[in-house]
Amino acid sequence: MTGLTYVEAVVVGAFQGVTELFPVSSLGHSVLVPALVGGRWAEDLNVSAPESAYLAFIVGLHVATAAALLVFFWRDWLRILTGFATSLRYRRIQTPAERLAWLIIFATIPVGVAGLALEHLFRTTLGKPIPAAAFLMVNGVVLFAGERLRRRVPTPVGAVGTAAEPEAVDSGPGELDESDLRLARMPMARGILIGSAQILALLPGISRSGITMVAGLLRGLNHDDAARFSFLLATPVILAAGVLKIPDLFGPLGEGIHGQVIVGSIASFVSAYFAVRFLTRYFHTRTLTPFAVYCTVAGAASLIWLTVR
């Protein structure tokens, strides 16, 4: 890993920022891209190694990705954190901001527990090019199936986006926007179910944002709200994963690559910021279908190439 170049750091960082938020799996691409490029990339950039400096590098980039999400959604997070503080202060879960804060907390607990228990096993066992290509194909099928099945799912009474409940008035500093208000009305059990779908993203090739969006669509969310909820849920998870790995970058695994980490993090932050800016507009009117096609084709092509070469 000491041979990691600045060019590689920039490329990996940019890929991380985009693929973490696009529903195409950042871990899957982190495994597949070096394998497809071959040479030193395949040798040095290996996430399945027991003590992988490359994994420490890319997970460290997660902090930059999470920072981009925090910057983009800073108003939302200010109101959510204020809601959390008032909830603790007054021992209640009453206002929309308070409900949304606890909804995010409870919805991220399952993936947090699963990540601590299963991440190493899944990464070392399945974090190889051929399984990643296969799971990328599966991701495409899941995205496509989600789009097809959502049309057959009746909208539950009181679901997000319906007018079954009046909009509550937030007592925090400023009102939540309409999308956050709709999310705040979501039943807690439904939010936890959607958040639990992130566990599948521990498999390389399965997208965190994609699988969360599909779960949201199948539980009555529209594309806009499903995307927003997936980004809000992903922020603490991505940030926590990055923070847990940062100490590794200051030990033996990080020797000789501190400059590359900084450059890669900048690339990851910039690409993630523009990715979330694009996607929040894209899902106002469009669907997951183009990403489903990409994942299926890219996964199949990678699987064929890696198998026959």
Side-chain angles (χ1 to χ4, degrees):
M1 189 63 182
T2 55
L4 178 71
T5 68
Y6 281 93
V7 172
E8 291 169 335
V10 170
V11 172
V12 172
F15 259 100
Q16 160 63 31
V18 172
T19 57
E20 182 66 48
L21 302 181
F22 275 58
V24 298
S25 176
S26 63
L27 181 55
H29 281 77
S30 296
V31 173
L32 284 173
V33 170
L36 295 173
V37 172
R40 289 295 303 273
W41 281 59
E43 295 176 8
D44 294 339
L45 311 183
N46 180 9
V47 301
S48 64
E51 293 296 330
S52 174
Y54 176 48
L55 178 69
F57 171 70
I58 61 174
V59 176
L61 298 180
H62 280 56
V63 176
T65 304
L69 288 171
L70 287 172
V71 169
F72 188 83
F73 290 110
W74 72 269
R75 292 183 180 84
D76 304 75
W77 280 110
L78 178 61
R79 293 158 184 159
I80 290 168
L81 292 174
T82 301
F84 177 68
T86 59
S87 177
L88 292 179
R89 179 180 179 182
Y90 298 111
R91 299 181 182 180
R92 69 186 190 192
I93 304 177
Q94 181 177 335
T95 70
E98 292 167 353
R99 292 200 77 258
L100 186 55
W102 284 102
L103 183 66
I104 291 172
I105 290 171
F106 287 125
T108 54
I109 289 175
V111 68
V113 174
L116 291 174
L118 301 173
E119 182 274 335
H120 180 77
L121 174 63
F122 282 7
R123 174 175 56 81
T124 54
T125 304
L126 300 173
K128 298 176 175 63
I130 289 180
F135 281 121
L136 187 62
M137 288 179 58
V138 172
N139 188 69
V141 173
V142 170
L143 297 183
F144 183 75
E147 286 292 347
R148 297 281 293 183
L149 293 175
R150 73 176 180 84
R151 303 168 188 172
R152 305 177 185 178
V153 176
T155 303
V157 176
V160 174
T162 70
E165 299 179 34
E167 292 187 353
V169 177
D170 189 359
S171 63
E175 294 184 357
L176 297 173
D177 64 22
E178 293 182 2
S179 181
D180 286 343
L181 285 170
R182 291 194 298 269
L183 292 174
R185 293 200 301 267
M186 188 191 310
M188 195 69 70
R190 189 178 303 157
I192 294 173
L193 180 63
I194 295 171
S196 297
Q198 295 180 97
I199 295 172
L200 295 175
L202 295 173
L203 300 170
I206 303 298
S207 164
R208 183 193 313 278
S209 61
I211 201 71
T212 308
M213 280 195 65
V214 168
L217 292 174
L218 295 181
R219 299 307 301 166
L221 277 67
N222 59 43
H223 287 88
D224 195 14
D225 291 346
R228 191 182 194 88
F229 194 45
S230 75
F231 295 144
L232 291 175
L233 288 177
T235 303
V237 176
I238 297 173
L239 185 61
V243 169
L244 286 174
K245 282 293 181 181
I246 280 181
D248 291 346
L249 294 174
F250 293 96
L253 294 180
E255 290 182 0
I257 62 169
H258 291 159
Q260 291 91 322
V261 170
I262 294 173
V263 170
S265 297
I266 294 172
S268 181
F269 176 89
V270 173
S271 63
Y273 181 85
F274 284 105
V276 69
R277 182 175 180 179
F278 168 79
L279 290 172
T280 51
R281 296 178 180 179
Y282 174 90
F283 285 119
H284 278 309
T285 57
R286 301 181 185 178
T287 71
L288 290 165
T289 301
F291 304 106
V293 173
Y294 165 77
C295 290
T296 305
V297 172
S302 298
L303 188 60
I304 293 171
W305 174 256
L306 293 168
T307 303
V308 304
R309 74 173 181 176

